[in-house]
Amino acid sequence: MSSRDYLGEFEHIVILALLRLAGRAYGVTVRQEIEARTGREVSIGAIYATLDRLETKGYLKSQFGEPTPERGGRSKRFFHVTAKGMSAVNRTHRAVQSMTQGLDLIGSHS
Amino acid sequence: MSSRDYLGEFEHIVILALLRLAGRAYGVTVRQEIEARTGREVSIGAIYATLDRLETKGYLKSQFGEPTPERGGRSKRFFHVTAKGMSAVNRTHRAVQSMTQGLDLIGSHS
DNA sequence: CCAATTTATTCTATATTGTATAGCTAATGT
DNA sequence: ACATTAGCTATACAATATAGAATAAATTGG
């Protein structure tokens, strides 16, 4: 466990997107999922930079997929969260949770 | 609402500490609260830098308190969260919440 | 097979956050 | 006045956030 143990705000969002996209997570879908869920618009460059950083830290692994039978376009790079990545999300979650405990914030009850 | 609408990871933790400390939040207590709740150790400088930035953004306000009847020492600078700051926390919370919806993370059920 | 089109990734550059250490100030007590 | 205490400021640097332009790999039409 190195000095920077918590996920950055955006790293957190991105890794959650990967978890919900499960097997079909790659740049474009990650971006869509974030926008669809939160309404937040992010550049595709921001997504990849973050994915790369997370992979470097060992929180993600990626592999290129076979070309799909669609129109055209380069092959997708699929990402998935590693066990180490899961610990990081959980750690981050626990921290916020413990600080939130007992406070009355919107969406915090039930 | 400017381009950077979400609280950074540490900003988030700090502002939550202020909320739970209510009227008695100043550098030292904020640091203690974070350490007590999360076990995370941060330098006092990190705390102030973040408080200053949040205040600059209008998320916090501060004022110096009267000297206390204790041993000695400089007077405390008390911080409180503004309405704008509350929106920011809530916005940040909602984002994570919406991305977490339905996922099975530790501490996410109940 | 070549050019155009499509989808996706990589590069690069900059602003904002995270974080620590050292140094400075304002009270109090003697 | 001086030492001691508690707390705040200054500064510097590393890591993260973010966008835009450039590049690459497929597919299809002619």
Side-chain angles (χ1 to χ4, degrees):
Chain A
M1 189 142 97
S2 58
S3 72
R4 233 210 227 16
D5 296 330
Y6 301 92
L7 295 172
E9 187 275 325
F10 191 54
E11 292 181 324
H12 190 182
I13 297 292
V14 166
I15 215 168
L16 288 174
L18 293 189
L19 291 178
R20 46 175 58 250
L21 288 166
R24 60 214 155 76
Y26 69 100
V28 175
T29 51
V30 169
R31 186 194 200 180
Q32 287 171 344
E33 181 73 9
I34 293 174
E35 173 154 13
R37 288 263 154 193
T38 68
R40 175 179 189 171
E41 294 188 20
V42 262
S43 71
I44 190 68
I47 301 280
Y48 283 110
T50 302
L51 288 170
D52 286 344
R53 215 167 339 103
L54 289 172
E55 182 167 34
T56 297
K57 292 196 249 178
Y59 292 166
L60 309 179
K61 277 270 168 39
S62 71
Q63 69 277 342
F64 285 89
E66 294 305 299
T68 52
E70 277 143 33
R71 174 64 183 80
R74 191 166 171 175
S75 57
K76 309 172 189 357
R77 183 174 163 203
F78 291 102
F79 290 84
H80 68 273
V81 183
T82 62
K84 190 174 173 191
M86 282 306 300
S87 313
V89 196
N90 286 144
R91 202 181 310 133
T92 302
H93 257 270
R94 267 196 307 272
V96 174
Q97 205 100 60
S98 58
M99 291 303 298
T100 303
Q101 225 34 248
L103 288 182
D104 189 33
L105 300 173
I106 52 133
S108 64
H109 19 52
S110 168
Chain B
M1 185 144 98
S2 60
S3 73
R4 195 72 113 252
D5 295 330
Y6 301 92
L7 295 171
E9 186 274 325
F10 190 54
E11 292 181 324
H12 189 181
I13 296 291
V14 166
I15 214 168
L16 288 174
L18 293 189
L19 291 177
R20 52 174 55 250
L21 288 166
R24 61 213 154 78
Y26 68 100
V28 175
T29 51
V30 169
R31 185 194 201 181
Q32 287 171 344
E33 182 72 10
I34 293 174
E35 173 154 12
R37 288 264 155 191
T38 68
R40 177 179 188 170
E41 293 187 19
V42 262
S43 71
I44 190 69
I47 300 279
Y48 283 111
T50 301
L51 288 170
D52 285 343
R53 284 178 193 150
L54 289 172
E55 182 167 35
T56 297
K57 292 195 249 179
Y59 292 165
L60 309 180
K61 279 267 169 38
S62 70
Q63 70 277 341
F64 286 89
E66 294 304 300
T68 52
E70 278 143 34
R71 176 60 182 80
R74 197 168 168 174
S75 57
K76 308 173 189 357
R77 184 175 163 202
F78 290 102
F79 291 84
H80 68 273
V81 183
T82 63
K84 191 173 174 193
M86 281 306 299
S87 313
V89 197
N90 286 145
R91 201 180 310 130
T92 302
H93 257 269
R94 266 197 307 274
V96 173
Q97 204 100 60
S98 60
M99 291 302 298
T100 303
Q101 231 20 259
L103 288 182
D104 188 32
L105 301 173
I106 49 139
S108 63
H109 18 51
S110 165

